[in-house]
Amino acid sequence: MASYGLYTYIQANKRRSIALLIGLFFLVYLLVYAGALVGEALTIDAPPDVLMRRALLGALYAAPWATLGTALWILIAYKFHQAMIDAVTGGRELTRNEAPRVYNLLENLCISRGITMPKLKVIEDDNLNAFATGMNEKQYAITVTSGLINALDDAEIESVLGHELTHIRNGDVRLLVVAVIIAGVISFVAELVSGCWFRADSAGAAAAAAAIARAPVLRCSSRLP
């Protein structure tokens, strides 16, 4: 019987990450087709089969651009996701001189496990929190809050750092970043759709307001001889 252990889990995470990235392209194609179908339905009055056929042709025409846009989205997220996270959280890199205690704890853990040491970052926050990010050995980083550093002793901090290193080693962090990329695409499309509906509702409200504003004038003019 096949054994299931750490390396099986790591390989499974790699397969899931690849499957999610491939699925992202199909998700974008589906969203493009759905948008084309809605556009056709709002543009022409035709039977459903005609609308679906026209929407499919439109989606096929837009497929290369959708593929390019999705690939660009993935590339940007791959290259700059850590910078985006730091910009949102206010994280900054810690050096050995700034935090020798925490830096040495992380370095010793990496040496004992024979893995490349990730960057150590800190967020100036009183809450006790820590998380790992990155897609490869050059990008991996562990971020801790200043509150966690001040509140925990060496053994406790070492446990937290070891926990985050496990997420890196198992590939959980890579899988999480891929999931965030997909969530970002869905959120972006939702924002576009909601923006279109808002503009449509605003246009309808403006037309209704204009009609109401003109109504008293029309009534007054009807009384003139």
Side-chain angles (χ1 to χ4, degrees), residues 51-129:
L51 294 176
M52 294 176 66
R53 186 166 58 252
R54 288 173 60 92
L56 179 59
L57 292 175
L60 291 175
Y61 177 79
W65 299 104
T67 303
L68 181 61
T70 305
L72 183 61
W73 186 286
I74 294 174
L75 179 61
I76 292 174
Y78 180 83
K79 289 289 187 181
F80 303 108
H81 71 274
Q82 185 62 56
M84 296 177 186
I85 294 173
D86 291 342
V88 172
T89 62
R92 62 177 180 85
E93 189 168 352
L94 274 179
T95 63
R96 188 192 301 272
N97 293 333
E98 290 179 290
R101 180 169 68 104
V102 182
Y103 193 97
N104 290 336
L105 288 173
L106 179 58
E107 187 178 51
N108 291 338
L109 282 171
C110 294
I111 293 174
S112 66
R113 296 300 180 267
I115 60 178
T116 302
M117 180 173 170
K119 295 177 182 178
L120 179 62
K121 294 177 177 287
V122 65
I123 299 173
E124 299 299 333
D125 193 317
D126 293 334
N127 294 314
L128 277 63
N129 197 7

Side-chain angles (χ1 to χ4, degrees), residues 144-172:
V144 297
T145 60
S146 58
L148 183 141
I149 295 175
N150 297 328
L152 304 186
D153 59 29
D154 287 2
E156 292 169 329
I157 293 178
E158 188 177 43
S159 299
V160 173
L161 296 176
H163 176 83
E164 299 306 330
L165 281 175
T166 302
H167 284 310
I168 291 176
R169 185 181 182 187
N170 292 351
D172 299 329

